[in-house]
Amino acid sequence: MPVPWLLLSLALGRSPMVLPLERRVGPQDATHCSPGLSCHLWDDDILCLPGDVMPALGPVLVPTHLQTELVLRCRKETNCDLCVRVAVHLAVHGHWEEPEDEKKFGGAADPGLEKPRNASLQAQVVLSFQAYPTARCVLLEVQVPAALMQFGQSVGSVVYDCFEAALGSEVQIWSYTQPRYEKKLNLTQQLPDCRGLEVRNSIRSCWALPWLDVSADGDNARLVLNVSEEQHFSLFLYWKQVQGPPKPWWQKNLTGPQIITLNHTDLVPCLCIQVWPLEPDSFRTNICPFREDPRAHRNLWRTARLRLLTLQSWRLEALCPLPAEAALCWQAPGGDPCQPLVPPLSWENITVNKALEFPLLEGHPNLCVQVNSWEKLQLQECLWADSLGPLNDDVLLLETRGPQDNRSLCALEPSGCTSLPSKASTMAARLGEYLLQDLQSGQCLQLWNDDLGALWACPMDKYTHKRWALVWLACLLFAAALSLFLLLRKDHAKGWLRLLKQDVRKGATPRGRAALLLYSADDSSFEHLVGALASALCQLPLRVAVDLWSRRELSAQGPVAWFHAQRRQTLQEGGMVVLLFSPGAVSLCSEWLQDGVSAPQWLQDGVSAPQWLQDGVSAPGAQGPHDAFRASLSCVLPDFLQGRASGRYVAACFDRLLRPDAVPALFRTVPVFSLPSQLPDFLGVLQRPSAPRPWRLRERAEQVSRALQPALESYFHPPGTPGRDAGWDLGRGTGLE
């Protein structure tokens, strides 16, 4: 779909428009006002202290409207600066209050009170200017004669000449009186740059400005810098931030006319371009042409990521500021939509790249974060699933607390929140009494607590197991009755029993095959990638064990003891041990194999193993209580060196991170797969001997690949860096270096 370049052209504005500007000679500020009014400008600037709004005890003069005009303040014919002229329109608000005795008795007013009513009205009007990096406040004294005082109507205006500001800057203007009787008037004036000035030669900083234009190149954007071949200038691409300095992306000094192509996938709303001549005190032109481009907004959300920092804190990582809000939701197994927990929790506004917290007491794999922008769901991720394991078969109980210690409970289900106890036909209603007993006995995990309520996660697996046990018992009774019936009919007994045996074998649903996943914890990003792979494999008929989900047991038992127990259990159940290789894992194996030797020297010499290996402790130099991969080498290597690895082990690595031929030769005696490109073959080996049909295997491979994709993109393209496949072309057919 082509980029909507009409919006892009609107963002850039017309190419240089004619903007006639009045010339004003002299460096001094001045003021003048409408006929009949008198005004005076204080010589010095004042402090910008607006104060609080005060009630008026009579008619007062207040500003009602601001109007600006751009002029040139020239010291010489070719030495001018851009200046903002401000006109403040004034009106009279309020009335004289009648004396109490005149209201009661209708008599004539005191003649002494007529004098102030016929007197002129005075006011001190403040003009405040802010344009980074300068700020000023000036004071204008205005006097209105009694003849012009029309209550509630405009009496004229006072004009201030003028406030100097930099080209391309944004000027904030406020106006109010001292003392202040009304809210401050505010106006924002965006100043043009050198491209929009008819008198470009009158401003010294515009003399050598490179000419910059943005156009379409298919789906991509083309930057055209039309300058002479002798002109030297600098080009700077950056991501503009609301607060703080911009995030730099790329900068280079160039010469002569240039054409630069930006890949459409790199366009985001805050991508801005700055260009300036390589001369002293030269003016820098800034444009942000993609702020209103819909594709740029889609790219921004595509690269945004949610990252869990601690148990309770997380952040939204993105290149540009985003108007967004987030809330927690509960994701039940089975593919049902994630149910927002609003209420009792509420939507929270998000500040990009800033740590945020939810008031949680405990994390849970079924808790997910939803991010909305303009009432549309943009991101959803279960942040705790990678560290706490796959989704649990738990039910969420919502406790609502009222006055006088009244409380009510309901169970969150896809159809809504079912009150407990209830006579409804849902599963939570049928198990309501058991869930309430579990809650009272402390078997439920409290996730959130407040004065108005609480959230509890109660396990459901034991009840679902009981239901399946009853189903299996009924099946066994039926099988026994059928066997008895067949035995009574001896002529057909053998054939029926053979068919029954085949049907049972064909229709049985055994537990998923066990898989032990071993890896080297190179960094937190790789651990996140491994957690995503383990979670994706758990969605298949596989039972995955990984040290990420067993931190407590690993710390208590020690890496070697934990690995030996897991390996023994996995192999006894006919499972597979998966060696997930990374650059760090290859380095560790190389150290053990003595810089590439096919076997340790003690095994080649035929002597007994080292004492630390016989005792089952970790290798010398093992690091960290959680480095199960380093500890596992003590018993993995003998299996490979003595030919016992076939059928027990399988090796894997990630595309673009490690090539299969980089895996040490000793470990290539078992199948080595590159993920996700070889996922079908990898899953086929893991699920043997009951591997599904090829079409079913391809479906499962696509399912795992989709689950892995966000983690792979986050690993290879972390937020804040451009895509590695970004398409750049610079100048006359060359690439951006």
Side-chain angles (χ1 to χ4, degrees):
M1 185 179 71
V3 178
W5 293 112
L6 175 60
L7 296 178
L8 177 58
S9 63
L10 292 176
L12 287 173
R14 299 174 182 174
S15 81
M17 62 181 180
V18 176
L19 183 62
L21 299 181
E22 176 187 337
R23 290 174 178 265
R24 187 178 182 279
V25 181
Q28 293 82 15
D29 295 344
T31 184
H32 58 276
C33 46
S34 301
L37 306 183
S38 61
C39 52
H40 170 68
L41 172 66
W42 278 35
D43 295 335
D44 300 323
D45 292 353
I46 65 171
L47 294 177
C48 302
L49 300 174
D52 298 327
V53 176
M54 299 177 57
L57 302 179
V60 292
L61 201 60
V62 295
T64 58
H65 178 62
L66 294 178
Q67 189 174 359
T68 59
E69 181 184 2
L70 298 181
V71 297
L72 288 174
R73 172 178 283 177
C74 300
R75 295 163 180 82
K76 295 181 181 179
E77 183 66 23
T78 59
N79 187 11
C80 301
D81 291 306
L82 196 59
C83 206
V84 181
R85 173 185 291 166
V86 182
V88 184
H89 295 265
L90 304 170
V92 178
H93 287 184
H95 299 275
W96 290 109
E97 295 184 0
E98 297 182 2
E100 292 295 331
D101 55 354
E102 183 179 350
K103 292 181 181 179
K104 290 182 179 180
F105 306 107
D110 189 348
L113 297 176
E114 295 295 329
K115 183 177 180 180
R117 298 189 182 190
N118 296 327
S120 61
L121 196 61
Q122 296 183 351
Q124 292 184 334
V125 180
V126 178
L127 280 175
S128 174
F129 302 92
Q130 289 189 9
Y132 181 82
T134 59
R136 288 184 60 192
C137 280
V138 297
L139 182 64
L140 309 175
E141 290 187 340
V142 186
Q143 185 172 350
V144 181
L148 297 180
M149 291 173 55
Q150 299 292 331
F151 295 104
Q153 297 183 6
S154 175
V155 297
S157 62
V158 57
V159 179
Y160 169 74
D161 264 333
C162 59
F163 175 73
E164 293 185 12
L167 292 166
S169 63
E170 185 179 82
V171 182
Q172 295 281 347
I173 306 171
W174 289 271
S175 179
Y176 51 91
T177 59
Q178 283 189 341
R180 187 158 65 96
Y181 302 111
E182 302 280 348
K183 294 182 179 179
K184 295 186 293 183
L185 291 182
N186 175 247
L187 180 65
T188 301
Q189 176 69 52
Q190 180 66 50
L191 272 60
D193 55 26
C194 295
R195 302 183 310 154
L197 297 178
E198 182 190 32
V199 288
R200 179 174 174 180
N201 294 332
S202 299
I203 299 181
R204 188 182 302 273
S205 59
C206 293
W207 288 357
L209 179 70
W211 183 250
L212 174 64
D213 191 17
V214 180
S215 61
D217 183 15
D219 286 345
N220 302 325
R222 175 182 294 173
L223 309 182
V224 180
L225 294 99
N226 188 14
V227 297
S228 62
E229 294 185 359
E230 298 80 15
Q231 178 70 57
H232 301 275
F233 61 92
S234 186
L235 181 67
F236 176 44
L237 301 180
Y238 63 94
W239 296 295
K240 186 177 180 180
Q241 305 298 305
V242 175
Q243 296 180 348
K247 291 183 180 180
W249 181 15
W250 178 83
Q251 180 178 355
K252 193 169 186 179
N253 295 334
L254 303 171
T255 303
Q258 297 285 348
I259 297 177
I260 299 174
T261 301
L262 300 178
N263 195 316
H264 68 89
T265 59
D266 295 325
L267 305 182
V268 291
C270 64
L271 179 60
C272 299
I273 307 161
Q274 186 180 87
V275 60
W276 68 94
L278 293 178
E279 297 180 3
D281 300 327
S282 59
F283 174 72
R284 300 191 177 197
T285 298
N286 294 271
I287 59 173
C288 302
F290 311 108
R291 286 178 296 187
E292 304 298 331
D293 188 356
R295 176 163 293 190
H297 284 271
R298 288 194 296 269
N299 289 340
L300 180 59
W301 281 111
R302 181 179 57 83
T303 58
R305 291 289 179 269
L306 295 173
R307 186 175 298 276
L308 184 66
L309 303 178
T310 63
L311 178 65
Q312 296 176 327
S313 64
W314 59 281
R315 68 168 174 252
L316 173 63
E317 297 179 345
L319 295 175
C320 306
L322 289 169
E325 55 183 2
L328 287 176
C329 64
W330 181 262
Q331 180 64 67
D336 292 322
C338 197
Q339 297 174 277
L341 301 180
V342 180
L345 302 179
S346 60
W347 289 97
E348 301 289 343
N349 292 328
I350 297 178
T351 302
V352 173
N353 299 323
K354 182 180 179 181
L356 302 170
E357 290 190 0
F358 280 124
L360 293 175
L361 301 177
E362 295 287 345
H364 195 280
N366 294 34
L367 282 176
C368 304
V369 177
Q370 286 184 337
V371 178
N372 281 11
S373 180
W374 304 111
E375 298 183 354
K376 180 181 179 181
L377 179 62
Q378 299 288 356
L379 285 176
Q380 178 178 307
E381 189 169 347
C382 301
L383 298 178
W384 294 268
D386 290 340
S387 58
L388 300 179
L391 300 179
N392 291 349
D393 189 16
D394 292 356
V395 63
L396 187 70
L397 300 185
L398 278 67
E399 178 184 349
T400 303
R401 296 168 183 163
Q404 300 179 354
D405 294 333
N406 292 331
R407 71 171 189 170
S408 60
L409 286 167
C410 68
L412 191 63
E413 295 185 285
S415 58
C417 206
T418 305
S419 300
L420 297 182
S422 173
K423 296 181 179 180
S425 59
T426 63
M427 179 181 295
R430 290 192 293 267
L431 300 175
E433 295 183 2
Y434 300 102
L435 293 174
L436 294 177
Q437 292 176 4
D438 291 345
L439 181 62
Q440 295 175 357
S441 61
Q443 298 184 37
C444 298
L445 179 66
Q446 189 176 36
L447 305 179
W448 172 76
N449 188 29
D450 199 330
D451 295 337
L452 300 178
L455 296 176
W456 305 83
C458 298
M460 288 279 289
D461 51 354
K462 58 182 179 181
Y463 301 115
T464 56
H465 289 167
K466 288 181 180 178
R467 291 183 61 199
W468 284 111
L470 293 176
V471 172
W472 279 110
L473 180 59
C475 292
L476 291 176
L477 291 176
F478 175 76
L482 183 61
S483 300
L484 180 60
F485 172 75
L486 293 175
L487 288 175
L488 295 177
R489 302 189 60 180
K490 296 182 180 180
D491 293 340
H492 304 284
K494 184 179 294 186
W496 279 104
L497 287 175
R498 186 183 300 112
L499 292 175
L500 179 62
K501 183 178 180 181
Q502 292 176 356
D503 291 342
V504 170
R505 286 182 177 178
K506 181 178 180 180
T509 56
R511 295 198 309 167
R513 193 181 188 191
L516 174 61
L517 192 58
L518 300 179
Y519 68 100
S520 174
D522 294 0
D523 51 44
S524 60
S525 298
F526 188 73
E527 281 191 322
H528 176 72
L529 187 57
V530 173
L533 175 62
S535 298
L537 294 178
C538 283
Q539 304 303 317
L540 309 178
L542 289 172
R543 292 179 291 111
V544 180
V546 62
D547 66 336
L548 271 175
W549 301 340
S550 305
R551 297 294 196 189
R552 187 177 302 172
E553 295 85 349
L554 196 67
S555 299
Q557 301 175 15
V560 174
W562 180 87
F563 170 74
H564 274 282
Q566 294 294 328
R567 172 182 168 275
R568 181 171 57 252
Q569 180 180 352
T570 300
L571 296 181
Q572 285 178 352
E573 295 177 358
M576 295 285 288
V577 178
V578 181
L579 302 177
L580 190 58
F581 280 93
S582 63
V586 172
S587 177
L588 286 174
C589 293
S590 299
E591 293 177 9
W592 275 68
L593 294 174
Q594 300 179 359
D595 298 329
V597 177
S598 60
Q601 193 62 42
W602 57 267
L603 191 61
Q604 296 183 24
D605 296 340
V607 299
S608 59
Q611 187 61 40
W612 56 266
L613 180 55
Q614 299 179 23
D615 296 339
V617 299
S618 59
Q623 299 175 354
H626 304 321
D627 197 353
F629 185 84
R630 181 186 291 269
S632 66
L633 291 178
S634 62
C635 59
V636 166
L637 281 176
D639 286 346
F640 279 87
L641 295 172
Q642 298 174 11
R644 300 195 305 264
S646 180
R648 296 179 166 191
Y649 293 83
V650 64
C653 58
F654 288 107
D655 298 339
R656 292 188 293 170
L657 181 62
L658 191 73
R659 299 191 312 274
D661 56 4
V663 175
L666 178 63
F667 298 97
R668 294 204 299 272
T669 56
V670 298
V672 181
F673 300 99
S674 184
L675 307 180
S677 59
Q678 296 179 336
L679 265 174
D681 297 335
F682 176 67
L683 297 181
V685 171
L686 286 185
Q687 295 181 278
R688 288 178 184 170
S690 58
R693 297 180 182 274
W695 63 270
R696 181 61 175 165
L697 198 60
R698 286 193 297 270
E699 287 184 355
R700 292 178 178 177
E702 292 176 359
Q703 175 184 347
V704 175
S705 180
R706 286 193 300 269
L708 270 179
Q709 198 60 35
L712 287 171
E713 290 186 4
S714 177
Y715 183 83
F716 290 107
H717 305 290
T721 61
R724 299 190 180 186
D725 54 350
W728 288 80
D729 290 323
L730 171 62
R732 308 160 185 84
T734 60
L736 188 62
E737 298 177 357

